[in-house]
Every structure is written in structure tokens, then in C-alpha cells.
Amino acid sequence: MYRDPSHERGGSAATTARTTLIRALDDRADTVPPGPAALTPEAAFDALYVYAVPGLIHQAYLLTGCRRRAFESAEYAFRKAWERWPEVARDPDPVGWVRVQTHEYALSPWHRFRWLVTRPGPPPADPLLRALLDLPPRHRRTAVLCDGLGLGVSEAAAETEASSHAVRGRLRHARAVLGATPDAARRALRTRVEEASAATLAQPWSVRAGSERHVRVLTRTVFAVTAALIALIALVIHGG
């Protein structure tokens, strides 16, 4: 049975979604015969989304200090999850799968060029968040994973594709910059992670629709480029 390694979130909607998610992920087992009690892929995806997306948005905000990018990162991650749903549904930790996508998108280096088209927002008022944003991205992510979510060093190392030694070093540096003892850092970041809010979230069906639309556009683009290349090659051959 699936267990979310992160903290339990309050609220009836999240509780209902968690129950549905556990059932959905139990139903994925090959030993469960198909029948009317089995959930559809859409229902399982929606349950995962409702349960996990508030926390992921807040984690992305802690990583970036930008609310718009935080929402964008989580939505991107769930679009990718729907595109690869059979793989995600069978993953031992589907919340972790989407978390990796969210964090990597949020910290993608190409965001540094956004100032060319959009003006950066004001710095966050929270002094801890300002200090967190002064850290290098990898140190920031390590602090959120270990102190914010309570992952162990080996788990954070596997998720960030780093060695345990590197994760310990990043964590020590992050705590030093934040000016906190390990226990104080854990309490402070855990409190902020638990501030997740579900306000103004996109509906899961719209995320699924956006993912399917993206796949259709990408497919048409690939076909169009392939046809253009074939035509160009034919023209060159006949012209020669």
C-alpha cells in the first residue's frame, strides 16, 4: 500500500483525496481483478493532484520566492505525470515522482532569463525565505527536502542524484547560512512547508486537458517538420 513519506495535511478535501489515492494505487497491483470498484486513470490522477499539489506549490515557492513560477512548476509536473501516467501510477512513490519534476522545473537555469520579458517581483518579507533564496539552488533544494519534508540524507541523495556526502555538505552549509541549529532549521522549514494553501489551484481536469493538448501540438509539429525535411531532401535529390 502507498504511504506518503511527507507530513499529513489537514482539510477534508485532502483527506478524501488521500483515501482515494491510496485506493487507486492499491488497485494498480496486478493481483487486483478489474471490475466496477477499480478507479479510472483519470480518477487516480485527480486524487494524486488534489492531495499533492498544494504542498508542491508551496515547496516550489520556497525554492524560488516567486508564486507564479511555483504554480507553473507544479502544473508542468502534473502535465508530465499525465503524459506518462502508466509509469507514474506504477511508481513506488508517485508523489515523489511529481515532486522531482516540480523542483527541477522550478530551479531550471533558463528562468534566469525571465527578467528580459517580465519584471521581477519584490523580495519576500519572510527573512528565513530571503536567506533560503541566497543559497545556491542545490543547497536550497536539499534544505527543503531534508529539513522541510523530513527526508533522510540517502533519500535526498537519490532524489537529487547526488552522493550522500554531497547532500550532508549542502545541508550543513544551508543551516549555517540560515543561522540555525539542525533542530531549529527543521522546525522553521517544516512550519513553512505546512503553510501550503489550495487557493486558486487549477482543476485537475484542466491540467489533464492541457497535457493532452500539448501532446497533440507536439505530435503535429514533429509530423510537419518531418514532412518538410522529406520535401527538402527530395528537392535536393531531384535538383542534383
Side-chain angles (χ1 to χ4, degrees), residues 140-156:
R140 210 180 307 159
R141 185 179 180 187
T142 299
V144 169
L145 289 173
C146 293
D147 287 340
L149 293 174
L151 268 65
V153 168
S154 59
E155 293 173 303

Side-chain angles (χ1 to χ4, degrees), residues 52-238:
V53 75
L56 293 176
I57 288 173
H58 202 67
Q59 292 164 38
Y61 176 65
L62 292 174
L63 291 173
T64 65
C66 176
R67 296 196 182 278
R68 182 171 61 180
R69 198 196 307 177
F71 278 85
E72 183 181 293
S73 300
E75 188 167 332
Y76 167 85
F78 275 98
R79 286 203 311 266
K80 297 293 289 184
W82 183 241
E83 289 173 16
R84 302 170 66 175
W85 183 248
E87 173 190 338
V88 177
R90 290 174 173 81
D91 194 280
D93 181 13
V95 175
W97 193 99
V98 185
R99 182 174 63 236
V100 169
Q101 299 294 322
T102 302
H103 289 191
E104 290 184 350
Y105 182 90
L107 295 175
S108 176
W110 72 266
H111 291 299
R112 71 185 64 175
F113 300 108
R114 284 191 164 202
W115 65 270
L116 296 172
V117 293
T118 59
R119 298 182 61 181
D126 185 349
L128 179 67
L129 180 53
R130 289 201 303 270
L132 187 65
L133 294 174
D134 285 338
L135 290 167
R138 292 178 180 177
H139 295 64
R140 210 180 307 159
R141 185 179 180 187
T142 299
V144 169
L145 289 173
C146 293
D147 287 340
L149 293 174
L151 268 65
V153 168
S154 59
E155 293 173 303
E159 184 156 321
T160 58
E161 298 182 343
S163 68
S164 296
H165 177 74
V167 167
R168 290 191 189 94
R170 293 168 188 171
L171 197 55
R172 282 196 300 269
H173 180 254
R175 288 167 175 168
V177 170
L178 297 177
T181 65
D183 287 342
R186 278 191 289 269
R187 286 195 299 271
L189 280 175
R190 180 65 61 89
T191 298
R192 283 155 179 81
V193 167
E194 290 174 351
E195 291 173 351
S197 170
T200 66
L201 293 178
Q203 294 299 309
W205 61 263
S206 69
V207 176
R208 286 191 278 106
S211 175
E212 292 165 2
R213 186 165 53 249
H214 176 263
V215 170
R216 287 196 299 269
V217 170
L218 183 61
T219 302
R220 285 198 295 266
T221 302
V222 170
F223 283 153
V225 170
T226 302
L229 286 174
I230 291 173
L232 180 61
I233 291 171
L235 182 64
V236 170
I237 291 174
H238 288 296

